[in-house]
Amino acid sequence: MILVTGGAGFIGANFVLDWLAQSDEAVINLDKLTYAGNRENLASLANDQRHVFVHGDIGDSELTRRLLAQYQPRAIINFAAESHVDRSIHGPEDFIQTNIVGTFHLLEAIRGYWSGLSEESGQRFRFLHVSTDEVYGSLSKEEPAFSETHRYEPNSPYSASKAASDHLVRAYHHTYGLPVLTTNCSNNYGPYHFPEKLIPLMIVNALAGKPLPVYGDGQQIRDWLYVKDHCSAIRRVLDAGSPGETYNVGGWNEKPNLDIVHTVCALLDELSPRADGRPYQQQITYVTDRPGHDRRYAIDARKIERELGWKPAETFATGIRKTVQWYLENQDWVGNVQSGAYREWVEKNYGERQP
Ligand code: NAD
Ligand code: TYD
């Protein structure tokens, strides 16, 4: 079996659902259920014996040690993290605790477990750390996309905490020989994406008749990858990646934020037109920029294609259409995640941004 951390969040839940749709290998899912963790994402697995959910913190090494001894996983995939840049600006401490200290405690528990395995099981074992392209910092328009050898230059408390965790993972390989793999992926989108991030926030606000808050001039560029393509890349790296290596994962879809918002609006005009017949674009509102806002991320994903034969299956046009359709068909899910805590966050983040 495998152990997944953070499997009730956006990417982790998609990963667990896809894994069990394709394999009978059981999954232990360790998740703290922060505001971003949602058991409803895993509702279809409620009676599935192949999925064991454990409510807990990656920073609790006693718990992790117990789970590892009990279930003896052949691999661990670490999705657990605080993941939202704006929240890291308002309150970095949780990011330090989970992304750095939590990853350290997880690594310590795994090191103890791994060193007690037989030679054969120890060689087969893998720890895959899921990271982000944001560790590489920001690019100008002219610079080439991030390769795996690009220097680390994180700019936000979020990306700095992820960079620190990447370094710890690297050090556990270099020093102790732990068979680790690291993936650095670009921005994901797709089903179960919490509506604090750009794409789901725009869909949800548009349908609610609320402003669509574009930070600054909206010309910041991100590379977008459909979440199920990220999951297939992780499976591929787990199967065939070389221990100690890092793999950049991206969708070859660099787009300015404003283009993304226009595309979402156009799809909603087609699939769920406004009652007054006017275009959703009218709801776009320019608001105060994010402090330290990275201008451009771009991923050079040639290594994973060349060495492991992985390529994304979706184009942005197909992926974003599926995503908008999913949100239209799952408005109960949207309603349920918009709790009091969510409304407080919206007030905190957007209340102080002047249009
Ligand atoms: P998310 O915020 O949607 O989910 C994170 C999950 O981790 C939640 O279920 C939460 O409850 C859980 N969690 C948080 N702290 C924990 C702790 N201390 N112990 C156990 N569980 C804990 O995040 P996501 O978007 O699914 O991202 C997953 C991973 O992928 C993160 O490591 C993130 O840095 C990375 N990543 C995300 C993106 C993206 O676009 N979303 C892109 C590249 C990399
Ligand atoms: P986000 O989804 O938070 O991902 P990240 O900051 O990790 O790339 O934001 C994506 C881009 O969209 C980023 O440039 C910030 C911008 N953005 C807005 O313009 N308005 C918003 O309300 C949000 C949440 C993000």
Side-chain angles (χ1 to χ4, degrees), residues 220-301:
Q220 303 81 6
I221 293 171
R222 301 290 182 263
D223 168 53
W224 293 93
L225 181 70
Y226 190 60
V227 64
K228 287 177 186 299
D229 278 328
H230 187 190
C231 296
S232 77
I234 292 170
R235 291 196 301 274
R236 186 68 198 133
V237 172
L238 189 62
D239 280 351
S242 297
E245 289 294 313
T246 66
Y247 297 90
N248 282 358
V249 183
W252 302 105
N253 277 311
E254 275 188 62
K255 294 196 187 298
N257 293 339
L258 198 57
D259 283 19
I260 300 286
V261 179
H262 282 153
T263 303
V264 166
C265 288
L267 279 165
L268 287 172
D269 288 339
E270 176 196 328
L271 299 170
S272 183
R274 271 173 43 152
D276 62 5
R278 306 182 106 113
Y280 283 100
Q281 271 189 33
Q282 286 195 338
Q283 290 167 231
I284 291 175
T285 313
Y286 291 89
V287 299
T288 314
D289 208 351
R290 173 187 280 174
H293 199 169
D294 283 339
R295 201 66 189 163
R296 173 174 167 242
Y297 304 139
I299 278 277
D300 175 345

Coordinates of all heavy atoms in Angstrom, one line a residue, residues 220-301:
Q220 N 0.2 39.3 -14.8 CA 1.1 38.3 -14.3 C 0.8 37.0 -15.0 O -0.3 36.6 -15.3 CB 0.9 38.1 -12.8 CG 1.0 39.4 -12.0 CD -0.2 40.3 -12.0 OE1 -1.3 39.9 -12.5 NE2 -0.1 41.5 -11.4
I221 N 1.9 36.3 -15.3 CA 1.8 35.0 -16.1 C 2.0 33.8 -15.2 O 3.0 33.8 -14.4 CB 2.8 35.1 -17.2 CG1 2.4 36.2 -18.2 CG2 2.9 33.7 -17.9 CD1 3.4 36.5 -19.3
R222 N 1.2 32.8 -15.4 CA 1.3 31.5 -14.7 C 1.3 30.5 -15.8 O 0.7 30.7 -16.8 CB 0.2 31.3 -13.7 CG 0.1 32.3 -12.5 CD 1.3 32.2 -11.6 NE 1.3 33.1 -10.5 CZ 2.0 34.2 -10.4 NH1 2.7 34.6 -11.5 NH2 2.0 35.0 -9.4
D223 N 1.8 29.3 -15.5 CA 1.7 28.1 -16.4 C 0.7 27.2 -15.8 O 0.8 26.8 -14.6 CB 3.1 27.4 -16.5 CG 2.9 26.1 -17.2 OD1 2.4 26.0 -18.3 OD2 3.4 25.1 -16.6
W224 N -0.4 26.9 -16.5 CA -1.5 26.1 -15.9 C -1.5 24.7 -16.3 O -1.4 24.4 -17.5 CB -2.8 26.8 -16.3 CG -2.9 28.2 -15.7 CD1 -2.5 29.4 -16.2 CD2 -3.4 28.5 -14.4 NE1 -2.7 30.4 -15.3 CE2 -3.2 29.9 -14.2 CE3 -3.9 27.7 -13.3 CZ2 -3.6 30.6 -13.0 CZ3 -4.3 28.4 -12.1 CH2 -4.1 29.8 -12.0
L225 N -1.8 23.8 -15.4 CA -1.8 22.4 -15.6 C -3.1 21.8 -15.0 O -3.4 22.0 -13.8 CB -0.6 21.7 -15.0 CG -0.5 20.2 -15.2 CD1 -0.2 19.9 -16.6 CD2 0.5 19.5 -14.3
Y226 N -3.8 21.0 -15.8 CA -5.1 20.4 -15.3 C -4.6 19.4 -14.2 O -3.7 18.6 -14.4 CB -5.8 19.7 -16.5 CG -7.2 19.2 -16.1 CD1 -8.1 20.1 -15.7 CD2 -7.5 17.8 -16.2 CE1 -9.4 19.6 -15.4 CE2 -8.7 17.4 -15.9 CZ -9.7 18.3 -15.5 OH -11.0 17.8 -15.2
V227 N -5.4 19.4 -13.1 CA -4.9 18.6 -11.9 C -4.7 17.1 -12.2 O -3.8 16.5 -11.7 CB -5.9 18.8 -10.7 CG1 -7.3 18.3 -11.0 CG2 -5.3 18.2 -9.5
K228 N -5.5 16.6 -13.1 CA -5.4 15.1 -13.4 C -4.1 14.8 -14.1 O -3.6 13.7 -14.0 CB -6.6 14.6 -14.1 CG -7.8 14.5 -13.1 CD -9.1 14.1 -13.6 CE -10.2 14.2 -12.6 NZ -10.0 13.4 -11.4
D229 N -3.6 15.8 -14.9 CA -2.3 15.6 -15.5 C -1.2 15.7 -14.5 O -0.2 14.9 -14.6 CB -2.1 16.7 -16.6 CG -2.8 16.4 -17.9 OD1 -2.9 15.2 -18.2 OD2 -3.2 17.3 -18.6
H230 N -1.4 16.5 -13.5 CA -0.4 16.5 -12.4 C -0.4 15.1 -11.7 O 0.7 14.6 -11.4 CB -0.7 17.6 -11.4 CG 0.3 17.8 -10.3 ND1 0.1 18.7 -9.3 CD2 1.6 17.3 -10.2 CE1 1.2 18.7 -8.5 NE2 2.1 17.9 -9.0
C231 N -1.5 14.6 -11.5 CA -1.6 13.3 -10.8 C -1.0 12.2 -11.6 O -0.2 11.3 -11.1 CB -3.1 12.9 -10.5 SG -3.9 14.0 -9.4
S232 N -1.1 12.3 -12.9 CA -0.5 11.2 -13.8 C 1.0 11.4 -13.8 O 1.8 10.4 -13.8 CB -1.1 11.2 -15.2 OG -0.6 12.3 -16.0
A233 N 1.5 12.6 -13.7 CA 2.9 12.9 -13.7 C 3.5 12.3 -12.4 O 4.6 11.7 -12.4 CB 3.2 14.4 -13.7
I234 N 2.8 12.5 -11.3 CA 3.3 12.0 -10.0 C 3.3 10.4 -10.0 O 4.3 9.8 -9.6 CB 2.4 12.5 -8.8 CG1 2.5 14.0 -8.6 CG2 2.7 11.7 -7.5 CD1 1.6 14.6 -7.7
R235 N 2.3 9.8 -10.6 CA 2.3 8.3 -10.7 C 3.5 7.9 -11.5 O 4.2 6.9 -11.2 CB 1.0 7.8 -11.3 CG -0.2 8.0 -10.4 CD -1.4 7.1 -10.9 NE -1.8 7.4 -12.2 CZ -2.6 8.4 -12.6 NH1 -3.2 9.1 -11.6 NH2 -3.0 8.6 -13.8
R236 N 3.8 8.6 -12.6 CA 4.9 8.3 -13.5 C 6.3 8.4 -12.8 O 7.2 7.6 -12.9 CB 4.8 9.2 -14.7 CG 5.8 8.8 -15.8 CD 5.5 7.5 -16.5 NE 6.7 7.0 -17.2 CZ 7.2 5.8 -17.1 NH1 6.6 4.9 -16.4 NH2 8.2 5.5 -17.8
V237 N 6.4 9.5 -12.0 CA 7.7 9.8 -11.3 C 7.9 8.7 -10.2 O 8.9 8.1 -10.0 CB 7.7 11.2 -10.7 CG1 8.9 11.4 -9.8 CG2 7.7 12.2 -11.8
L238 N 6.8 8.4 -9.6 CA 6.8 7.3 -8.5 C 7.3 6.0 -9.1 O 8.1 5.3 -8.6 CB 5.4 7.2 -7.9 CG 5.3 6.3 -6.7 CD1 6.2 6.9 -5.5 CD2 3.9 6.2 -6.2
D239 N 6.8 5.6 -10.3 CA 7.1 4.4 -11.0 C 8.5 4.3 -11.5 O 9.2 3.3 -11.4 CB 6.2 4.1 -12.2 CG 4.8 3.6 -11.8 OD1 4.7 3.3 -10.6 OD2 3.9 3.6 -12.7
A240 N 9.0 5.5 -12.1 CA 10.2 5.4 -12.9 C 11.2 6.4 -12.6 O 12.3 6.4 -13.2 CB 9.8 5.5 -14.4
G241 N 10.9 7.4 -11.7 CA 11.9 8.4 -11.4 C 13.1 7.8 -10.7 O 13.0 6.8 -10.0
S242 N 14.2 8.5 -10.9 CA 15.5 8.1 -10.2 C 15.6 8.8 -8.8 O 15.5 10.0 -8.7 CB 16.7 8.5 -11.0 OG 16.7 7.9 -12.2
P243 N 15.8 8.0 -7.7 CA 15.9 8.6 -6.4 C 17.0 9.7 -6.4 O 18.0 9.6 -7.0 CB 16.4 7.4 -5.5 CG 15.9 6.2 -6.2 CD 15.9 6.5 -7.7
G244 N 16.6 10.8 -5.7 CA 17.5 12.0 -5.6 C 17.2 13.0 -6.7 O 17.7 14.1 -6.6
E245 N 16.5 12.6 -7.7 CA 16.2 13.5 -8.8 C 15.0 14.4 -8.6 O 14.1 14.0 -7.8 CB 16.0 12.8 -10.1 CG 17.2 12.1 -10.7 CD 18.2 13.1 -11.1 OE1 17.9 14.0 -11.8 OE2 19.4 12.9 -10.8
T246 N 15.0 15.6 -9.2 CA 13.8 16.4 -9.2 C 13.2 16.5 -10.6 O 14.0 16.4 -11.6 CB 14.1 17.8 -8.6 OG1 14.9 18.5 -9.6 CG2 14.7 17.8 -7.3
Y247 N 11.9 16.6 -10.7 CA 11.3 16.7 -12.0 C 10.3 17.9 -12.0 O 9.4 18.0 -11.2 CB 10.5 15.4 -12.3 CG 11.4 14.2 -12.4 CD1 11.6 13.5 -11.2 CD2 12.0 13.8 -13.6 CE1 12.5 12.4 -11.2 CE2 12.8 12.7 -13.6 CZ 13.1 12.0 -12.4 OH 13.9 10.9 -12.5
N248 N 10.5 18.8 -13.0 CA 9.6 19.9 -13.2 C 8.4 19.4 -14.0 O 8.5 18.7 -15.0 CB 10.2 21.0 -14.0 CG 11.1 21.9 -13.1 OD1 11.2 21.6 -11.9 ND2 11.8 22.9 -13.7
V249 N 7.2 19.8 -13.5 CA 5.9 19.3 -14.2 C 5.1 20.6 -14.6 O 4.9 21.5 -13.8 CB 5.1 18.5 -13.2 CG1 3.8 18.0 -13.9 CG2 5.9 17.4 -12.6
G250 N 4.8 20.7 -15.9 CA 4.0 21.8 -16.3 C 3.1 21.5 -17.5 O 3.2 20.4 -18.1
G251 N 2.3 22.5 -17.9 CA 1.3 22.2 -18.9 C 1.6 22.9 -20.2 O 0.8 22.8 -21.1
W252 N 2.7 23.6 -20.3 CA 3.1 24.3 -21.6 C 1.9 25.3 -21.9 O 1.5 25.5 -23.0 CB 3.3 23.4 -22.8 CG 4.4 22.4 -22.5 CD1 4.3 21.1 -22.3 CD2 5.8 22.7 -22.5 NE1 5.5 20.5 -22.1 CE2 6.5 21.4 -22.3 CE3 6.6 23.8 -22.7 CZ2 7.9 21.3 -22.2 CZ3 8.0 23.7 -22.6 CH2 8.6 22.4 -22.4
N253 N 1.4 25.9 -20.8 CA 0.2 26.8 -21.0 C 0.5 28.1 -20.2 O -0.1 28.3 -19.1 CB -1.0 26.2 -20.3 CG -1.7 25.2 -21.2 OD1 -1.9 25.6 -22.4 ND2 -2.0 24.0 -20.7
E254 N 1.4 28.9 -20.7 CA 1.6 30.2 -20.0 C 0.6 31.2 -20.4 O 0.4 31.4 -21.6 CB 3.0 30.8 -20.5 CG 4.2 30.3 -19.8 CD 5.4 31.0 -20.3 OE1 5.5 32.3 -20.1 OE2 6.3 30.4 -20.8
K255 N -0.1 31.8 -19.4 CA -1.2 32.7 -19.7 C -1.2 33.9 -18.7 O -1.1 33.6 -17.5 CB -2.5 32.0 -19.7 CG -2.6 31.0 -20.9 CD -4.0 30.6 -21.1 CE -4.1 29.5 -22.1 NZ -3.5 29.8 -23.4
P256 N -1.4 35.1 -19.2 CA -1.7 36.2 -18.2 C -3.0 36.0 -17.4 O -4.0 35.4 -18.0 CB -1.8 37.4 -19.1 CG -1.3 37.0 -20.4 CD -1.5 35.6 -20.5
N257 N -3.0 36.4 -16.2 CA -4.3 36.2 -15.4 C -5.5 36.7 -16.1 O -6.6 36.1 -16.0 CB -4.1 36.9 -14.0 CG -3.0 36.2 -13.2 OD1 -2.7 35.1 -13.4 ND2 -2.5 37.0 -12.2
L258 N -5.4 37.9 -16.7 CA -6.6 38.5 -17.3 C -7.1 37.6 -18.4 O -8.4 37.5 -18.6 CB -6.2 39.9 -17.9 CG -7.4 40.8 -18.1 CD1 -8.2 41.1 -16.9 CD2 -6.8 42.2 -18.7
D259 N -6.2 36.9 -19.2 CA -6.7 36.0 -20.2 C -7.5 34.9 -19.6 O -8.5 34.4 -20.1 CB -5.6 35.4 -21.0 CG -5.0 36.3 -22.0 OD1 -5.2 37.5 -21.9 OD2 -4.2 35.8 -22.9
I260 N -7.0 34.4 -18.4 CA -7.7 33.3 -17.7 C -9.1 33.7 -17.3 O -10.1 33.0 -17.5 CB -6.9 32.9 -16.4 CG1 -5.5 32.5 -16.8 CG2 -7.7 31.9 -15.6 CD1 -5.4 31.1 -17.4
V261 N -9.2 35.0 -16.8 CA -10.5 35.5 -16.3 C -11.4 35.6 -17.5 O -12.6 35.3 -17.4 CB -10.3 36.8 -15.5 CG1 -11.7 37.3 -15.0 CG2 -9.4 36.5 -14.3
H262 N -10.9 36.1 -18.6 CA -11.7 36.3 -19.8 C -12.2 34.9 -20.3 O -13.4 34.8 -20.7 CB -11.0 37.0 -20.9 CG -10.9 38.5 -20.7 ND1 -9.8 39.3 -21.2 CD2 -11.7 39.3 -20.0 CE1 -10.0 40.5 -20.8 NE2 -11.1 40.6 -20.1
T263 N -11.4 33.9 -20.3 CA -11.8 32.6 -20.7 C -12.9 32.0 -19.8 O -13.9 31.5 -20.3 CB -10.5 31.6 -20.7 OG1 -9.5 32.2 -21.5 CG2 -10.9 30.3 -21.3
V264 N -12.7 32.2 -18.5 CA -13.7 31.7 -17.6 C -15.1 32.4 -17.9 O -16.1 31.8 -18.0 CB -13.3 31.9 -16.1 CG1 -14.4 31.7 -15.2 CG2 -12.1 31.0 -15.8
C265 N -15.0 33.7 -18.1 CA -16.2 34.5 -18.3 C -16.9 34.0 -19.6 O -18.1 33.8 -19.7 CB -15.9 36.0 -18.4 SG -15.5 36.7 -16.9
A266 N -16.1 33.8 -20.7 CA -16.7 33.4 -22.0 C -17.3 32.0 -21.8 O -18.4 31.8 -22.4 CB -15.6 33.3 -23.0
L267 N -16.7 31.1 -21.1 CA -17.3 29.8 -20.9 C -18.6 29.9 -20.1 O -19.6 29.2 -20.4 CB -16.3 28.8 -20.2 CG -15.3 28.2 -21.1 CD1 -14.2 27.6 -20.3 CD2 -15.9 27.1 -22.0
L268 N -18.6 30.7 -19.1 CA -19.9 30.9 -18.3 C -21.0 31.6 -19.2 O -22.1 31.2 -19.1 CB -19.6 31.7 -17.1 CG -18.8 30.9 -16.0 CD1 -18.4 31.9 -14.8 CD2 -19.7 29.8 -15.4
D269 N -20.6 32.5 -20.1 CA -21.6 33.1 -21.0 C -22.2 32.0 -21.8 O -23.4 32.1 -22.1 CB -20.9 34.1 -21.9 CG -20.5 35.4 -21.2 OD1 -21.0 35.7 -20.1 OD2 -19.6 36.1 -21.7
E270 N -21.4 31.1 -22.2 CA -22.0 30.0 -23.1 C -22.8 29.0 -22.2 O -23.9 28.6 -22.6 CB -20.8 29.3 -23.7 CG -21.2 28.1 -24.6 CD -19.9 27.2 -24.9 OE1 -18.8 27.7 -25.1 OE2 -20.2 26.0 -25.0
L271 N -22.2 28.5 -21.1 CA -22.8 27.4 -20.4 C -23.9 27.8 -19.3 O -24.7 27.0 -19.0 CB -21.7 26.6 -19.7 CG -20.6 26.0 -20.6 CD1 -19.5 25.4 -19.8 CD2 -21.2 24.9 -21.5
S272 N -23.8 29.0 -18.8 CA -24.7 29.5 -17.8 C -24.9 31.0 -17.9 O -24.4 31.7 -17.0 CB -24.2 29.0 -16.4 OG -25.1 29.4 -15.4
P273 N -25.5 31.5 -19.0 CA -25.6 32.9 -19.2 C -26.2 33.7 -18.0 O -27.1 33.1 -17.3 CB -26.4 33.1 -20.5 CG -26.7 31.7 -21.0 CD -26.2 30.7 -20.0
R274 N -25.8 34.9 -17.8 CA -26.4 35.8 -16.8 C -27.9 36.0 -17.2 O -28.3 36.1 -18.3 CB -25.7 37.1 -16.8 CG -24.5 37.1 -15.8 CD -23.7 38.4 -15.9 NE -24.4 39.6 -15.9 CZ -24.0 40.8 -15.5 NH1 -22.8 40.8 -14.9 NH2 -24.6 41.9 -15.6
A275 N -28.7 36.1 -16.1 CA -30.2 36.3 -16.4 C -30.4 37.6 -17.2 O -31.4 37.6 -18.0 CB -30.9 36.4 -15.0
D276 N -29.6 38.6 -17.1 CA -29.8 39.8 -17.8 C -29.2 39.8 -19.2 O -29.2 40.8 -19.9 CB -29.3 41.1 -17.0 CG -27.8 41.1 -16.8 OD1 -27.1 40.1 -17.3 OD2 -27.3 41.9 -16.1
G277 N -28.6 38.7 -19.6 CA -28.0 38.5 -20.9 C -26.7 39.2 -21.1 O -26.1 39.2 -22.2
R278 N -26.2 40.0 -20.1 CA -24.9 40.7 -20.3 C -23.7 39.8 -20.0 O -23.9 38.7 -19.3 CB -24.9 41.9 -19.3 CG -26.1 42.8 -19.4 CD -25.9 43.9 -18.4 NE -25.5 45.1 -19.1 CZ -26.3 46.2 -19.2 NH1 -27.5 46.2 -18.6 NH2 -25.9 47.2 -19.9
P279 N -22.5 40.1 -20.5 CA -21.4 39.2 -20.3 C -20.8 39.3 -18.9 O -20.9 40.4 -18.3 CB -20.4 39.8 -21.3 CG -20.8 41.2 -21.6 CD -22.3 41.3 -21.4
Y280 N -20.3 38.2 -18.4 CA -19.7 38.1 -17.1 C -18.5 39.1 -16.9 O -18.2 39.5 -15.8 CB -19.3 36.7 -16.7 CG -20.5 35.8 -16.4 CD1 -21.0 34.9 -17.3 CD2 -21.0 35.8 -15.1 CE1 -22.1 34.1 -16.9 CE2 -22.1 35.0 -14.7 CZ -22.6 34.1 -15.6 OH -23.7 33.3 -15.3
Q281 N -17.8 39.3 -18.1 CA -16.7 40.2 -18.0 C -17.0 41.5 -17.3 O -16.1 42.2 -16.8 CB -16.2 40.5 -19.5 CG -15.3 39.6 -20.0 CD -14.7 40.1 -21.4 OE1 -14.5 41.3 -21.5 NE2 -14.4 39.1 -22.2
Q282 N -18.2 42.0 -17.4 CA -18.6 43.2 -16.7 C -18.3 43.2 -15.3 O -18.3 44.3 -14.6 CB -20.1 43.5 -16.9 CG -20.4 43.9 -18.3 CD -21.8 44.5 -18.4 OE1 -22.7 44.2 -17.5 NE2 -22.1 45.3 -19.4
Q283 N -18.2 42.0 -14.7 CA -18.0 41.9 -13.2 C -16.5 42.1 -12.9 O -16.1 42.2 -11.7 CB -18.5 40.6 -12.7 CG -20.0 40.5 -12.7 CD -20.6 39.2 -12.5 OE1 -21.4 38.7 -13.3 NE2 -20.2 38.5 -11.5
I284 N -15.6 42.1 -13.9 CA -14.1 42.3 -13.6 C -13.9 43.6 -12.9 O -14.4 44.7 -13.3 CB -13.3 42.2 -14.9 CG1 -13.4 40.8 -15.4 CG2 -11.8 42.6 -14.6 CD1 -12.7 40.6 -16.8
T285 N -13.1 43.5 -11.8 CA -12.7 44.7 -11.0 C -11.2 44.7 -10.7 O -10.8 43.6 -10.2 CB -13.5 44.7 -9.6 OG1 -14.8 44.4 -9.8 CG2 -13.4 46.0 -8.9
Y286 N -10.5 45.7 -11.0 CA -9.1 45.8 -10.7 C -8.9 46.2 -9.3 O -9.5 47.2 -8.9 CB -8.4 46.7 -11.7 CG -8.4 46.2 -13.1 CD1 -9.4 46.5 -14.0 CD2 -7.3 45.3 -13.5 CE1 -9.4 45.9 -15.3 CE2 -7.3 44.8 -14.8 CZ -8.4 45.1 -15.6 OH -8.4 44.5 -16.9
V287 N -8.1 45.4 -8.5 CA -7.9 45.7 -7.1 C -6.5 45.8 -6.8 O -5.6 45.4 -7.6 CB -8.6 44.7 -6.2 CG1 -10.1 44.6 -6.4 CG2 -8.0 43.3 -6.4
T288 N -6.2 46.3 -5.6 CA -4.8 46.5 -5.2 C -4.0 45.2 -5.3 O -4.4 44.1 -5.0 CB -4.7 46.9 -3.7 OG1 -5.7 47.9 -3.5 CG2 -3.4 47.4 -3.2
D289 N -2.8 45.4 -5.8 CA -1.9 44.2 -6.1 C -1.5 43.5 -4.9 O -1.5 44.1 -3.8 CB -0.7 44.7 -6.9 CG -0.1 43.6 -7.8 OD1 -0.6 42.4 -7.7 OD2 0.8 43.9 -8.6
R290 N -1.1 42.2 -5.0 CA -0.5 41.4 -3.9 C 0.9 41.9 -3.7 O 1.7 42.2 -4.6 CB -0.4 40.0 -4.4 CG 0.3 39.0 -3.6 CD 0.4 37.7 -4.3 NE -0.8 36.9 -4.2 CZ -0.9 35.7 -4.9 NH1 0.0 35.2 -5.6 NH2 -2.0 35.0 -4.7
P291 N 1.3 42.1 -2.4 CA 2.7 42.6 -2.1 C 3.7 41.5 -2.6 O 3.5 40.4 -2.4 CB 2.7 42.7 -0.6 CG 1.3 42.5 -0.1 CD 0.5 41.9 -1.2
G292 N 4.7 42.0 -3.3 CA 5.8 41.1 -3.7 C 5.3 40.2 -4.8 O 5.9 39.1 -5.0
H293 N 4.3 40.5 -5.5 CA 3.6 39.6 -6.5 C 4.6 39.2 -7.6 O 5.2 40.0 -8.4 CB 2.5 40.4 -7.2 CG 1.5 39.6 -7.8 ND1 0.3 40.1 -8.3 CD2 1.5 38.3 -8.2 CE1 -0.4 39.1 -8.8 NE2 0.3 38.0 -8.8
D294 N 4.8 37.9 -7.7 CA 5.7 37.3 -8.8 C 5.1 37.6 -10.1 O 3.9 37.3 -10.3 CB 5.9 35.8 -8.6 CG 6.9 35.5 -7.5 OD1 7.7 36.4 -7.1 OD2 6.9 34.4 -6.9
R295 N 6.0 38.0 -11.1 CA 5.4 38.5 -12.4 C 5.2 37.3 -13.3 O 4.2 37.2 -14.0 CB 6.5 39.4 -13.0 CG 5.9 40.3 -14.1 CD 4.9 41.3 -13.5 NE 4.3 42.0 -14.6 CZ 3.2 42.7 -14.6 NH1 2.5 42.9 -13.4 NH2 2.7 43.3 -15.6
R296 N 6.1 36.4 -13.3 CA 5.9 35.3 -14.3 C 6.5 34.0 -13.8 O 7.7 34.0 -13.3 CB 6.6 35.6 -15.6 CG 6.6 34.5 -16.7 CD 7.1 35.0 -18.0 NE 7.4 33.8 -18.8 CZ 8.6 33.5 -19.3 NH1 9.7 34.3 -19.1 NH2 8.8 32.4 -20.1
Y297 N 5.8 32.9 -13.9 CA 6.3 31.5 -13.7 C 6.2 30.8 -15.1 O 5.1 30.9 -15.7 CB 5.5 30.7 -12.7 CG 5.3 31.3 -11.3 CD1 4.1 31.2 -10.7 CD2 6.4 31.9 -10.7 CE1 3.9 31.7 -9.4 CE2 6.2 32.4 -9.4 CZ 5.0 32.3 -8.8 OH 4.8 32.9 -7.5
A298 N 7.2 30.0 -15.4 CA 7.1 29.2 -16.6 C 7.9 27.9 -16.4 O 9.0 28.0 -15.9 CB 7.6 29.9 -17.8
I299 N 7.4 26.8 -16.8 CA 8.0 25.5 -16.5 C 8.6 24.9 -17.8 O 7.8 24.8 -18.8 CB 7.0 24.5 -15.9 CG1 6.9 24.8 -14.4 CG2 7.4 23.1 -16.1 CD1 8.0 24.1 -13.5
D300 N 9.8 24.5 -17.8 CA 10.4 23.7 -18.8 C 10.2 22.3 -18.4 O 11.0 21.8 -17.6 CB 11.9 24.1 -19.0 CG 12.6 23.3 -20.0 OD1 12.1 22.2 -20.4 OD2 13.7 23.7 -20.4
A301 N 9.3 21.6 -19.0 CA 9.0 20.2 -18.6 C 9.6 19.2 -19.6 O 9.1 18.1 -19.7 CB 7.4 20.0 -18.6

